[in-house]
């Protein structure tokens, strides 16, 4: 039997305040409940570092910008709680940005938000929280945490509002991290949260949601990768000819050339740079051979995958095959599959029905009903 275990209401709680309506509503909720609260905003990336990427027009909403830091401070002042900015730029670059760039160059499609959750928000921020006497971190994530009274493990569940559910990005959290995390919005809808912000007269009550990755202000991942590599002294203006390669079909026939595998993801249709009598999609990326294989849409479907570095939440490890529902990307509808152990911290997933555009670097997250069993990185 699973139930929620109440924690000490007098414990100091850190709210990770991004400057958006969700985390601001969390801060207001906890403060109004009488709990001692401190707001911390993470400084993750200096937007001035790569000034050529900042668009001339006003950028689309994204988290962690300078304006967001200002908004978080305004909210904290409005509700009357202490607020501090903590600089995690070095840790963020090491654990999120560099792997992001390396993954694209290796033909994978990374998920920086999941990496940030694992290595910064519920790791470095927890260290800082403990240093100021806090025992838990509350965030604006739409997900739920409950403790199983029989196993003693902390379990992760989808949010009540499935349209806002963010459990996919949280599959990597450890038992230690889950034990000190709070998701107060897990049982609420976005509309309810917005109304709550309005009733509390929060300065960000009408603020649009963030849409882009926080360190890519233009939304163009390739431009960011090339600018970051120049910043690191790798490459010059434009793409090196040593990174160029062939576009081929599954028969091996060369149908075009490309300027670098970082321009492609599995399932991509636009921007291939070739004319064909029928739509073509990226099927496979071979970074060592600098070869990108393209083909028809029907060739994108696969009935199995392998995943590495699997983190299990519901139990310590997988000892025997199980049946579960599997998501292979955030907006993917979970599909029925059989999950089998495959080496150390690895699994093989066999779907009941083939799935479209299984992309290396994305996460395969395993569900049983509302519960997140665990997840790993697709090979």
């Amino acid at each position: 039997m699973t139930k929620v275990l109440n924690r000490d209401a007098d414990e100091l709680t850190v709210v990770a305040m991004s400057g958006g309506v969700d985390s601001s509503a969390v801060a207001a909720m906890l403060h109004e409940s009488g709990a001692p609260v401190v707001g911390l905003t993470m400084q993750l990336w200096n937007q001035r570092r790569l000034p050529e990427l900042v668009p001339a027009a006003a950028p689309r909403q994204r988290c962690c910008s300078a304006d967001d830091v200002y908004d978080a401070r305004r909210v904290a002042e409005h509700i009357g709680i202490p607020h501090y900015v903590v600089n995690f730029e070095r840790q963020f670059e090491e654990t999120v940005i560099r792997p992001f760039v390396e993954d694209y160059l290796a033909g994978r499609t990374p998920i920086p938000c999941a990496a940030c959750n694992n290595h910064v928000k519920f790791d470095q921020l927890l260290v800082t929280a403990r240093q100021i006497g806090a025992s838990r971190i509350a965030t604006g994530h739409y997900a739920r945490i409950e403790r199983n009274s029989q196993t003693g493990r902390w379990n992760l569940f989808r949010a009540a509002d499935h349209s806002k559910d963010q459990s996919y990005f949280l599959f990597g959290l450890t038992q230690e991290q889950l034990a000190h995390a709070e998701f107060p919005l897990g049982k609420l809808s976005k509309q309810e949260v917005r109304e709550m912000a309005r009733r509390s007269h929060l300065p960000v009550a009408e603020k649009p949601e963030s849409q882009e990755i926080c360190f890519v202000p233009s939304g163009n991942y390739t431009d960011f990768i090339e600018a970051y590599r120049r910043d690191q002294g790798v490459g010059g203006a434009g793409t090196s000819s040593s990174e160029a390669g062939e576009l081929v079909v599954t028969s091996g026939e060369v149908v075009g050339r490309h300027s670098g595998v970082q321009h492609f993801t599995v399932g991509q249709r636009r921007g291939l740079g070739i004319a064909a009598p029928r739509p073509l999609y990226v099927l496979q990326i071979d970074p060592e051979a600098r070869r990108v294989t393209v083909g028809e849409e029907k060739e994108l479907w696969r009935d199995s995958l392998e995943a590495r570095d699997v983190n299990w939440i519901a139990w310590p490890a997988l000892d025997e095959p199980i049946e579960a529902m599997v998501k292979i990307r955030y907006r993917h509808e979970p599909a029925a599959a059989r999950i089998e152990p495959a080496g150390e911290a690895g699994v093989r997933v066999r779907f009941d029905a083939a799935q479209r555009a299984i992309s290396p670097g994305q996460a395969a997250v395993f569900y049983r009903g509302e519960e997140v069993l665990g997840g790993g990185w697709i090979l």
Side-chain angles (χ1 to χ4, degrees):
M1 177 180 177
T2 300
K3 66 177 182 178
V4 178
L5 298 185
N6 293 326
R7 300 174 184 175
D8 188 348
D10 294 329
E11 291 179 310
L12 178 63
T13 299
V14 157
V15 178
M17 299 183 67
S18 67
V21 65
D22 293 328
S23 61
S24 298
V26 167
M29 287 171 62
L30 293 179
H31 179 65
E32 290 171 7
S33 73
V37 178
V38 172
L40 294 185
T41 298
M42 298 180 294
Q43 173 61 41
L44 300 177
W45 178 248
N46 183 358
Q47 301 290 347
R48 301 188 188 92
R49 182 164 163 185
L50 304 175
E52 67 270 34
L53 296 181
V54 179
R60 284 176 282 182
Q61 291 296 323
R62 65 189 190 280
C63 68
C64 308
S65 68
D67 287 343
D68 289 320
V69 174
Y70 171 72
D71 285 341
R73 181 175 292 115
R74 282 200 304 155
V75 170
E77 291 176 351
H78 174 75
I79 61 181
I81 64 171
H83 175 262
Y84 305 95
V85 178
V86 289
N87 191 316
F88 291 146
E89 289 186 24
R90 178 181 59 81
Q91 297 94 328
F92 187 74
E93 183 169 2
E94 291 176 355
T95 62
V96 179
I97 288 184
R98 285 178 186 166
F100 173 87
V101 172
E102 291 166 359
D103 276 348
Y104 264 110
L105 293 172
R108 296 186 289 268
T109 306
I111 311 176
C113 293
C116 182
N117 286 332
N118 295 347
H119 302 301
V120 182
K121 188 168 291 182
F122 295 97
D123 187 344
Q124 295 299 312
L125 191 62
L126 180 58
V127 171
T128 301
R130 285 171 167 163
Q131 289 173 344
I132 64 173
S135 59
R136 53 187 174 177
I137 295 174
T139 74
H141 285 99
Y142 286 82
R144 292 176 291 137
I145 300 174
E146 298 179 3
R147 193 176 190 186
N148 189 305
S149 59
Q150 293 183 344
T151 66
R153 293 183 69 82
W154 293 96
N155 298 148
L156 179 66
F157 295 85
R158 299 180 72 182
D161 183 350
H162 282 193
S163 69
K164 296 300 299 178
D165 175 54
Q166 294 172 302
S167 61
Y168 178 83
F169 299 111
L170 300 165
F171 77 90
L173 297 190
T174 66
Q175 285 294 297
E176 172 70 10
Q177 291 169 330
L178 288 168
H180 296 279
E182 296 282 351
F183 302 142
L185 306 186
K187 296 182 179 180
L188 303 176
S189 69
K190 181 69 179 192
Q191 183 178 353
E192 289 173 318
V193 173
R194 185 77 72 176
E195 288 299 324
M196 185 185 309
R198 290 173 180 141
R199 289 196 302 270
S200 297
H201 304 290
L202 299 184
V204 296
E206 306 302 331
K207 186 174 181 178
E209 294 187 73
S210 59
Q211 297 176 347
E212 300 294 347
I213 294 176
C214 62
F215 56 89
V216 187
S218 68
N220 189 312
Y221 303 162
T222 302
D223 284 353
F224 175 85
I225 291 168
E226 294 178 353
Y228 181 76
R229 295 178 74 201
R230 289 194 298 270
D231 179 72
Q232 298 295 294
V234 180
T239 304
S240 169
S241 59
S242 65
E243 296 178 351
E246 297 173 339
L247 287 163
V248 303
V249 292
T250 49
S251 66
E253 178 188 356
V254 177
V255 294
R257 300 279 298 176
H258 66 79
S259 58
V261 297
Q262 65 269 27
H263 295 271
F264 303 95
T265 61
V266 171
Q268 177 179 333
R269 176 183 173 185
R270 300 182 184 278
L272 302 186
I274 53 176
R278 60 193 183 282
L280 295 178
Y281 301 80
V282 174
L283 305 178
Q284 186 177 13
I285 302 170
D286 184 344
E288 292 185 4
R290 302 189 300 279
R291 183 179 296 114
V292 177
T293 302
V294 298
E296 296 184 54
E297 199 269 347
K298 64 182 180 181
E299 298 176 272
L300 276 175
W301 295 78
R302 289 170 45 198
D303 60 8
S304 66
L305 64 83
E306 291 189 359
R308 60 175 173 83
D309 298 333
V310 175
N311 177 61
W312 292 104
I313 297 174
W315 42 71
L318 184 67
D319 299 322
E320 58 185 22
I322 61 169
E323 304 292 327
M325 304 296 289
V326 180
K327 289 186 70 167
I328 58 172
R329 53 187 166 271
Y330 176 48
R331 293 299 183 188
H332 177 250
E333 187 66 28
R338 179 180 175 85
I339 304 171
E340 306 166 350
E344 186 176 355
V347 297
R348 183 174 293 104
V349 177
R350 303 184 189 277
F351 291 99
D352 292 1
Q355 302 298 303
R356 185 183 185 279
I358 298 175
S359 304
Q362 292 283 289
V365 181
F366 319 131
Y367 294 82
R368 180 170 288 167
E370 297 294 288
E371 183 178 5
V372 180
L373 303 178
W377 300 103
I378 298 173
L379 291 172

